[in-house]
Amino acid sequence: MTEELKKGLEGVLVAESSLSFIDGDAGKLIYRGYTIDDLARNASFEEVVYLLWHGELPNATELSDFKSSMAEERHINDDVQRLVRDLAEADEEPMAALRTIVSDLSAYDPDADADPTAEAANLRKGRRITAKIPTALAAFSRIRDGDEPVDPREDLDHASNFLYMLNDEEPDDVLSETFDMALVLHADHGLNASTFSATVTASTLADLHAAVTSAVGTLSGSLHGGANQDVMEALLELDDSGKEPVQWVEDRLAAGDRVPGFGHRVYNVKDPRARILSAESEALGEAAGTPQWHDYSVTIEEYLGEEKGLAPNVDFYSASTYYQMGIPVDIYTPIFAMSRVGGWIAHVLEQYDDNRLIRPRARYVGSEDRTVTPIDDR
């Protein structure tokens, strides 16, 4: 057994997966053999979730059945709705609220008593979790703002339905397609921190709700999902400052602060998802007459690339994309979870299919020869 220490498990192989592949040097991301560029432009979020869960893209009949089965699960019962209201009225942090809501959903799941590794039951659970998170999140956001929740519609796709529930207005095609693309881009990304925590939990034979709850908690940290909110808050700070972007960056770095949205544990070049969302952010800005957000971002990217050799990750452009869609800044990370749950569930299914308890070791660096002093002498 090797004694080499790998802090943060960087570069350590702990599993085999057929779900997604990342080439960090080439800036390439693949789901089940399909490039992210191909999927983002030619497949819907529902198709991608089906692909992740079943291994193949659905045909027309399979997609229709899958979309219908997801849409039928969107409603949340009165007890969960009351919990959402309580959390919103208590001004709970959105990711903390989502963590609690996902855990609570297990109490009302018809398959709650199924064997944790039963695939058919887990696929049904997965559909329910994936379908209900947008409903709960939109309701939480509206109640917090003093509005009443909007019931989900079964005739809208996953992306459009969320925007409808959030804003009480059916989105136009541009917004729907852009948001759907963003969900596709975030659906999976190898064995990232939240996915790993989900698989660790599943490896103990805890159930799917427990695994997803673990993943939500992990995603809440600013070094993982929380970075997209940090990016938009930084861009708003820049806009308020009246400074030129380069000067703002230089001042921020001189003060010892980092610019969020740059650097990645896996990519050594520009995140391929950032390339796609950069174009979407630019198009939204041109359509809305607010090109400054994309302009700021491009200027910062060019400066940090030339001066520091840094490349942007997906958070850097998802932030301005969501902002120009009118989405509240502090629910960016829950939206990340709304998408990534598809990947979490796929990885948990893989873990259950060939399970081994995940139990790494730590190198002990403490004392070994201490003795207990009687309490009266301490």
Side-chain angles (χ1 to χ4, degrees), residues 144-156:
R144 187 183 55 171
D145 292 341
D147 299 316
E148 284 302 303
V150 175
D151 288 336
R153 283 171 46 180
E154 294 187 13
D155 61 313
L156 297 176

Side-chain angles (χ1 to χ4, degrees), residues 36-360:
I36 195 61
D37 303 78
D38 192 8
L39 290 170
R41 303 188 190 285
N42 298 302
S44 67
F45 178 67
E46 287 93 333
E47 287 175 276
V48 168
V49 172
Y50 188 98
L51 170 68
L52 291 172
W53 292 0
H54 297 280
E56 300 291 343
L57 286 168
N59 61 33
T61 299
E62 289 168 336
L63 178 60
S64 177
D65 291 345
F66 185 68
K67 291 177 72 172
S68 295
S69 67
M70 288 271 285
E72 290 169 359
E73 300 289 0
R74 287 174 177 162
H75 285 274
I76 56 178
N77 68 27
D78 291 343
D79 290 334
V80 177
Q81 190 76 268
R82 278 191 290 272
L83 173 66
V84 171
R85 185 175 294 277
D86 288 344
L87 292 167
E89 291 177 348
D91 199 28
E92 176 64 286
E93 292 291 328
M95 281 298 286
L98 183 61
R99 179 193 64 216
T100 302
I101 291 162
V102 170
S103 181
D104 190 56
L105 287 174
S106 71
Y108 309 98
D109 194 293
D111 289 299
D113 294 331
D115 185 284
T117 64
E119 183 177 13
N122 281 327
L123 287 169
R124 292 191 295 269
K125 288 181 182 179
R127 287 199 300 270
R128 295 181 193 114
I129 295 169
T130 305
K132 294 179 191 302
I133 282 178
T135 306
L137 177 57
F140 173 85
S141 183
R142 288 184 62 80
I143 293 168
R144 187 183 55 171
D145 292 341
D147 299 316
E148 284 302 303
V150 175
D151 288 336
R153 283 171 46 180
E154 294 187 13
D155 61 313
L156 297 176
D157 63 28
H158 196 75
S160 300
N161 180 64
F162 174 73
L163 294 176
Y164 165 71
M165 292 188 296
L166 184 67
N167 299 316
D168 196 16
E169 179 178 284
E170 188 172 341
D172 62 32
D173 290 344
V174 173
L175 291 183
S176 292
E177 291 169 6
T178 301
F179 190 60
D180 185 82
M181 181 182 289
L183 295 181
V184 168
L185 294 173
H186 287 85
D188 196 42
H189 203 243
L191 209 57
N192 57 85
S194 57
T195 299
F196 185 58
S197 71
T199 58
V200 170
T201 301
S203 80
T204 71
L205 297 186
D207 70 5
L208 186 62
H209 285 84
V212 174
T213 302
S214 293
V216 173
T218 305
L219 187 68
S220 66
S222 63
L223 293 182
H224 191 7
N228 50 16
Q229 179 178 337
D230 294 342
V231 170
M232 196 62 229
E233 289 173 348
L235 291 176
L236 290 167
E237 177 190 303
L238 163 60
D239 193 58
D240 289 341
S241 74
K243 297 178 182 178
E244 291 298 313
V246 170
Q247 184 62 55
W248 177 84
V249 170
E250 290 177 342
D251 291 348
R252 190 177 178 99
L253 295 177
D257 297 326
R258 57 185 289 274
V259 178
F262 282 82
H264 197 281
R265 176 66 70 85
V266 178
Y267 294 111
N268 298 315
V269 295
K270 187 172 182 176
D271 187 328
R273 302 166 299 173
R275 290 199 307 266
I276 296 168
L277 284 178
S278 174
E280 297 304 313
S281 174
E282 182 178 21
L284 287 173
E286 290 175 353
T290 55
Q292 70 270 27
W293 304 113
H294 184 262
D295 292 344
Y296 291 157
S297 300
V298 170
T299 302
I300 293 170
E301 177 187 347
E302 291 176 348
Y303 175 76
L304 288 176
E306 293 170 2
E307 298 297 321
K308 304 294 182 181
L310 296 174
N313 55 45
V314 68
D315 298 305
F316 191 65
Y317 282 103
S318 67
S320 57
T321 301
Y322 291 157
Y323 188 76
Q324 292 176 108
M325 298 175 74
I327 296 173
V329 174
D330 68 349
I331 67 166
Y332 289 3
T333 306
I335 287 172
F336 191 155
M338 193 177 99
S339 168
R340 185 58 60 82
V341 68
W344 291 335
I345 290 166
H347 282 271
V348 168
L349 292 173
E350 270 197 340
Q351 181 67 36
Y352 285 145
D353 189 52
D354 185 25
N355 189 54
R356 180 172 174 78
L357 177 66
I358 298 173
R359 204 297 191 187

